[in-house]
Each structure stands twice: as structure tokens, then as C-alpha cells.
């Protein structure tokens, strides 16, 4: 599977753009209401939904009511996910008789899935029943993705409307995104995955006899499922011997489809898409990578169509693609080098760094997946990120820290990049002494205050959380690695949580009271503070008249703007995070390759 990386990434982008173009046109028809106006029975369903939610399909919400509806909807989701986890031991569809989830872990997981993060501090196949996986975790995979679509559509309306009081109907947008886009796409993709060998059943777990007895060590847990620590604060390990293996079953394909299409990332199994029951073949691996970027790419085309200038959407997509290709090249280059510590032990280093990777996928397909899943706020993995070489691990960390705007999550990637676009035109306006404008709307002090809040909240959570994580004794006990790599594990965890990615450096034991609470706070604030700020921008822009293009208007659809936008994203990311990255992966790289 180590075909030329240029061929693989070129083929990947070619197929991606070919699929995303018609989906973008379809999304435009769905979200502007043309689809439901064309088919009367869909309009009837929408009226029923609005009546159920106490609203009317013609209601146009001001931004603050739209934001309130979004937050209320997600708070109810947290309550539902938490309750089912706690009660699952007494509920059906639990053939393995798994007890209810411990309170701290259940709280963290509820926040995680509602915020589209899917951070998993637990082992899925031994912690969650089939009912929990299907009725709340998979459902939130749909609803959290729909939330992102609704918010970005509201922002696009802010650009396209003139002197309007509202930004749309939140309940209608949520329903349309879920029912017309996410459900049908997931149904088709789940059938494809079943055809590739992904399991979909309600069977009990299978107990198989091994050819020989195996022995290994695992962290010892107390009665509440928390790690037992020694006097030094390190996890106590216990020896395990067994001559049997348990093969978990379950309705995997249905959750796998939306996990990827919704850029959620939470796996049915602990090793996620490295498990052959989730990702069995090279073709399924390629399709899973496509599905992660599919809707974020289509939303760029939808953006161009809804603002009346497709070139605007293509410019945003071009900026995303440039950053994606540059970061993939670095990860690929890094992982083609062998780990010096292993070559010193006599390992053949000619094939590169295969530690933590599936040999059936190889280095190229693994590094491509690594870059895709962290450029998007997905977090699904087909290789272990903790085993990447230092610079190979730096790039996925930094991609998350940029705000998940390089394609990004469903909806959140585009509205995050549009926030950077507003900042870019503001900087350009400062340089030429002209009031900045974007898509015919003046960018004034209120918009820039909201842009600042949206951009600065995640660095505050990431860097502040990491600082506490490497100083607090309860947090230090979770790090299985000392020095620079241990620092990177903590930095990666808070970068993943605050930017709603969900992947992890697996050398950290995160199912502890400290991390369950700290990461839940980071996930919630990292998700909803930017959402409120973006909706405030949408409301402000919608009230403004649309200015005519003049000789002094800066074009925002050409190569110059793409360069400006890429530079803005990269410089903000560099200035914010380079000092922290220097203490982690950069120091580790120098230590590793100076031996």
C-alpha cells in the first residue's frame, strides 16, 4: 500500500472534488428550502417538526434566539447521553451485561459526543452496551454534525441577506441537515461498509480458544473503574494470563458511517478505524478518508452558491487545500524515516517508521489518514498517533490548534475559516487604510470583537489546560511518558478537546477525575463560545446593507486573497502555539536524532 504519495493524494483529491461538487449543489437546495418547496410532502414534514418544537416554518430568528435554540438543543442532548450511560446496566440490548458507566466518565462522554469531539477515555467494546452505542452515541453523531451545518448556514445568510432582522430558523435547519443530508448519506455508506466486511449485528460476544497462553500487563483499576496509583503517583500494573480471546460483536457499520461523514470520530472499538471490524480493506480505508472530507468540501461549494459567487467558495477551498497538502508532505516525510532507537537494536529502517501502523495500509495511507483526521475535527484513526515520530506528531497537533479550519468539521470547519477570512480582510484594510469589507458587508468593531473571541478562546483553553496538566499532581499521574513526549501528550489532549477533534496520544490515561472534568470543560467552551460568537457575527452582518463593488474593493476570489488567507491562518497559529510545540515535539526530535 506504499504507492507513491503523490499518486494517492492526487487521486484522493480528484475523487473528493468530483463527489463534493454535486453534493454541494444538493446542500444548497436543501438549506435554502428549494427541496421542500418542490416536494410538498417534505414541506408537510417540516411543518410537523416546527409545530412539535413550538415554532413556525416561516419564523426568522434573530441571532440570539438562534443561538439559544442551538444551546438548549445540545444541553438536552447531554442529559440524554448521560442518563442512558448511567442506566445501561438495567436496559435491553446489552448481551455482554456491561454495567452502567461511572459518573465522571459518563459526564465526559456526554459532553464529548454532543460537542462533536468524541473524545473517548474508555474502551468502547467493554464499556458501552449496544443500546448506548445506537440510541445516544450514534444519534449525537448525527445531531452534533447537524448543529455545525445549521450554524454555518446562519453565517452564510448573514453575508447574503440585506438589512434583515433574522438568520433563519434553527429547528428547521437542524431538521433539514439531519433528515435530508446526514441520514441518507449514512445509510448508503453503511451498506457499502457492510459489503467491505464491517460487521452489523446484535450477536453476543464470541469466546475463542487461543493456540497458546499469553501473558501481559494492564493498569489495575479500583471498584469505580479508576486507575490504582502507587506511592509515586504512577499506575499500578497487574499481570494477566489467558488462553482465550473475546471477539466483540455489534451494530458497527451504522455507527461507523456517521462517525466519519459527521466528522465525529468516536470508534465502536478501542482502536477505532485500525480495527478490521471497522476498516477491513484498502478500499474501505480510502472510502473512509473520502467520507471525512466530503461534507466539509461540499459546504464550500454551497457557500459559493448561496452568496451568489461560486469563486468565493472555490477560494476558501483552495486555501484549505494548500495547507492540507503542505502538512501532509511534512507528516509523510517524517514517517518515511526510521526511529533511531529501533534501528540501534538492529531493526531494518529502510521502510520507515512502521510502529503503530497497520501493515495492510502501509505508511502512505496511514499518514494520509493522520493528516485528514486532524485537519478535519474527526479524530478517527487508523494508526496510533502516539507512535508517530516527533515531527510527524507535531503536524496533527498543530492542525488541531489552528482551529480545525483546514476542511475542518462538518460546518465548523467552514465557519472557522470564514472567521479567519474576516480577519484577513481586516488586516488588509489596515494595510491600505480602507474600511474592510467582505462579500459586500462592512467589517466593523463588533465583528472584530467577535472574531477575536472566536479565535482566542481555544488557545486559552489549550495552553491554560496544558499548563495545569503538567503541574497538578493528579494530572501528572496520567502521563505514562516522561520529558518532552509526556508534555506533548498533555498538549495534544487539550488541543484535541478544545478544538473538538477527539483523537489522542494513547500514552495518556485520561479516564481520571481530573481529565474527565478538565477536558469536558475544554470541549464545551471550545465548541459553544465560537458558535455564539459566529452567530453574533451573522446577526450583525444580516442587518447591514450590501455594498456595491467599487474600484477600491479588494477581490476575495483570486490567488492573492488565497495567499492572504493562508498566511493569516498560519501566522496566527505560529504565533500562538510555536513556543508550546517547541517544548514538546521539537525538543523530542532534537533529543531523538542527536543520539
Amino acid at each position: 500500500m506504499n504507492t507513491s504519495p503523490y499518486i494517492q493524494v492526487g487521486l484522493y483529491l480528484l475523487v473528493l472534488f468530483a463527489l463534493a461538487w454535486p453534493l454541494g449543489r444538493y446542500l444548497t437546495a436543501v438549506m435554502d428550502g428549494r427541496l421542500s418547496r418542490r416536494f410538498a410532502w417534505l414541506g408537510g414534514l417540516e411543518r410537523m417538526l416546527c409545530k412539535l418544537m413550538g415554532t413556525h416554518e416561516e419564523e426568522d430568528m434573530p441571532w440570539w434566539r438562534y443561538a439559544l435554540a442551538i444551546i438548549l438543543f445540545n444541553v438536552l442532548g447531554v442529559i440524554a447521553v448521560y442518563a442512558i450511560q448511567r442506566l445501561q446496566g438495567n436496559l435491553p440490548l446489552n448481551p455482554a451485561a456491561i454495567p452502567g458507566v461511572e459518573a465522571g466518565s459518563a459526564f465526559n462522554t456526554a459532553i464529548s459526543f454532543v460537542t462533536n469531539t468524541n473524545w473517548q477515555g474508555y474502551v468502547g467494546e467493554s464499556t458501552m452496551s449496544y443500546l448506548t452505542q445506537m440510541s445516544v452515541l450514534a444519534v449525537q453523531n448525527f445531531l452534533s454534525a447537524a448543529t455545525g451545518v445549521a450554524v454555518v448556514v446562519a453565517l452564510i445568510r448573514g453575508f447574503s441577506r440585506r438589512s434583515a432582522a433574522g438568520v433563519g430558523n434553527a429547528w428547521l435547519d437542524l431538521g433539514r441537515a439531519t433528515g435530508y443530508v446526514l441520514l441518507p448519506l449514512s445509510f448508503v455508506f453503511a451498506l457499502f461498509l457492510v459489503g467491505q466486511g464491517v460487521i452489523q449485528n446484535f450477536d453476543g460476544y464470541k469466546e475463542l480458544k487461543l493456540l497458546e497462553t499469553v501473558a501481559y500487563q494492564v493498569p489495575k483499576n479500583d471498584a469505580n473503574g479508576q486507575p490504582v496509583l502507587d506511592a509515586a503517583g504512577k499506575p499500578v500494573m497487574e499481570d494477566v494470563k489467558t488462553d482465550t480471546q473475546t471477539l466483540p460483536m455489534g451494530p458497527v457499520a451504522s455507527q461507523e458511517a456517521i462517525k466519519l461523514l459527521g466528522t465525529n470520530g468516536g470508534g465502536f472499538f478501542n482502536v477505532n478505524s485500525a480495527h478490521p471490524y471497522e476498516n477491513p480493506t484498502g478500499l474501505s480505508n480510502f472510502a473512509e478518508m473520502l467520507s471525512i472530507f466530503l461534507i466539509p468540501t461540499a459546504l464550500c461549494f454551497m457557500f459559493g452558491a448561496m452568496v451568489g459567487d461560486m469563486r468565493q467558495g472555490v477560494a476558501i477551498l483552495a486555501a484549505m487545500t494548500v495547507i492540507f497538502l503542505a502538512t501532509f508532505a511534512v507528516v509523510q516525510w517524517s514517517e518515511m524515516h526510521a526511529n533511531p532507537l529501533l534501528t540501534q537494536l538492529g531493526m531494518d529502517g529502510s521502510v520507515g517508521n512502521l510502529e503503530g501502523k497497520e501493515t495492510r495500509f502501509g505508511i502512505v495511507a496511514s499518514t494520509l489518514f493522520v493528516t485528514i483526521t486532524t485537519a478535519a475535527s474527526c479524530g478517527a484513526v487508523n494508526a496510533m498517533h502516539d507512535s508517530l515520530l516527533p515531527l510527524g506528531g507535531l503536524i496533527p497537533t498543530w492542525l488541531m490548534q489552528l482551529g480545525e479550519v483546514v476542511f475542518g468539521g462538518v460546518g465548523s470547519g467552514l465557519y472557522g475559516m470564514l472567521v479567519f477570512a474576516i480577519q484577513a480582510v481586516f488586516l488588509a484594510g489596515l494595510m491600505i487604510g480602507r474600511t474592510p469589507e467582505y462579500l459586500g458587508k462592512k467589517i466593523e468593531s463588533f465583528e472584530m470583537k467577535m472574531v477575536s473571541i472566536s479565535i482566542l478562546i481555544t488557545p486559552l483553553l489549550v495552553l491554560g489546560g496544558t499548563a495545569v496538566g503538567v503541574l497538578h499532581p493528579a494530572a501528572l499521574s496520567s502521563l505514562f511518558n516522561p520529558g518532552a513526549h509526556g508534555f506533548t501528550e498533555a498538549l495534544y489532549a487539550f488541543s484535541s478537546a478544545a478544538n473538538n477533534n477527539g483523537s489522542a496520544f494513547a500514552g495518556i490515561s485520561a479516564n481520571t477525575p481530573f481529565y474527565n472534568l478538565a477536558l469536558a470543560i475544554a470541549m464545551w467552551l471550545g465548541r459553544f463560545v465560537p458558535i455564539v460568537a459566529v452567530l453574533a457575527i451573522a446577526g450583525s452582518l444580516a442587518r447591514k446593507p450590501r455594498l456595491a463593488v467599487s474600484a477600491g474593493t479588494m477581490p476575495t476570489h483570486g490567488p492573492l486573497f488565497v495567499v492572504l488567507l493562508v498566511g493569516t491562518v498560519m501566522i496566527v497559529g505560529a504565533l500562538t502555539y510555536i513556543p508550546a510545540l517547541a517544548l514538546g515535539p521539537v525538543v523530542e526530535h532534537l533529543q531523538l536524532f542527536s543520539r
Side-chain angles (χ1 to χ4, degrees), residues 108 111-112 115-119 377 397 399-404 412 415 454-466 490-503 518-531 577:
N108 179 276
I111 296 291
S112 175
T115 58
N116 199 247
T117 308
N118 288 31
W119 173 272
S377 66
T397 308
L399 278 170
M400 294 186 295
Q401 291 168 344
L402 292 178
E404 299 287 22
S412 60
Y415 68 65
S454 179
I455 291 175
L456 293 177
I457 182 62
T458 47
L460 176 65
L461 295 169
V462 171
L463 299 177
T466 303
L491 178 65
Y492 193 102
F494 281 98
S495 300
S496 179
N499 291 284
N500 304 131
N501 182 274
S503 63
L519 296 181
I521 293 172
M523 287 185 283
W524 185 263
L525 295 179
R527 174 71 162 177
F528 290 106
V529 170
I531 279 179
Y577 292 108

Side-chain angles (χ1 to χ4, degrees), residues 67-226:
L68 187 62
I70 291 291
I71 293 174
L72 175 62
F73 178 70
N74 284 276
V75 168
L76 293 175
V78 170
I79 295 171
V81 177
Y82 179 82
I84 295 296
Q85 288 181 90
R86 296 287 284 154
L87 297 172
Q88 72 175 8
N90 301 312
L91 297 174
L93 291 177
N94 188 5
I98 299 173
V101 182
E102 184 269 331
S105 179
F107 174 72
N108 179 276
T109 302
I111 296 291
S112 175
F113 276 75
V114 167
T115 58
N116 199 247
T117 308
N118 288 31
W119 173 272
Q120 295 175 290
Y122 59 88
V123 177
E125 58 265 42
S126 62
T127 306
M128 301 297 177
S129 69
Y130 294 168
L131 181 69
T132 302
Q133 295 271 21
M134 293 188 305
S135 65
V136 286
L137 301 188
V139 167
Q140 282 304 319
N141 284 347
F142 284 97
L143 301 182
S144 63
T147 295
V149 174
V151 172
V152 76
V153 167
L155 178 59
I156 294 171
R157 292 190 186 115
F159 286 114
S160 62
R161 292 182 174 183
R162 304 180 184 186
S163 306
V167 294
N169 187 316
W171 304 115
L172 201 54
D173 290 340
L174 288 168
R176 286 171 173 171
T178 304
Y180 303 157
V181 180
L182 297 170
L183 275 171
L185 281 177
S186 297
F187 180 78
V188 173
F189 190 42
L191 291 179
F192 168 81
L193 291 175
V194 170
Q196 288 296 299
V198 178
I199 63 172
Q200 179 76 15
N201 59 55
F202 293 98
D203 297 345
Y205 288 11
K206 310 295 185 183
E207 196 79 14
L208 302 178
K209 187 77 171 178
L210 298 177
L211 295 177
E212 59 183 18
T213 300
V214 296
Y216 55 94
Q217 286 189 321
V218 296
K220 185 177 181 179
N221 293 331
D222 60 22
N224 294 320
Q226 300 301 314

Side-chain angles (χ1 to χ4, degrees), residues 561-576:
F561 179 72
V562 172
V563 172
L564 176 64
L565 181 55
V566 170
T568 301
V569 173
M570 302 286 275
I571 291 171
V572 169
L575 293 177
T576 306

Side-chain angles (χ1 to χ4, degrees), residues 259-344:
K259 148 196 152 179
L260 297 158
L261 285 165
T263 61
N264 299 281
F268 196 97
F269 302 108
N270 187 41
V271 295
N272 211 283
S273 287
H275 199 295
Y277 285 174
E278 286 197 31
N279 188 9
T281 68
L283 181 58
S284 70
N285 189 66
F286 186 78
E288 290 190 8
M289 291 190 292
L290 280 174
S291 64
I292 295 172
F293 272 3
L294 179 60
I295 297 178
T297 305
L299 287 171
C300 292
F301 294 126
M302 182 195 76
F303 166 65
M306 291 185 72
V307 298
D309 185 356
M310 186 57 71
R311 296 174 300 175
Q312 303 292 339
V314 171
I316 296 293
L317 182 58
M320 293 177 174
T321 305
V322 167
I323 300 175
F324 166 69
L325 289 174
T327 51
F328 167 67
V330 176
V331 179
Q332 174 64 23
W333 170 82
S334 174
E335 294 308 296
M336 288 306 296
H337 292 77
N339 187 327
L341 297 179
L342 297 180
T343 56
Q344 289 171 11

Side-chain angles (χ1 to χ4, degrees), residues 432-444:
I432 63 175
R434 180 181 172 87
T435 301
E437 59 183 75
Y438 185 50
L439 300 179
K441 298 296 181 79
K442 280 189 177 181
I443 305 302
E444 298 174 301

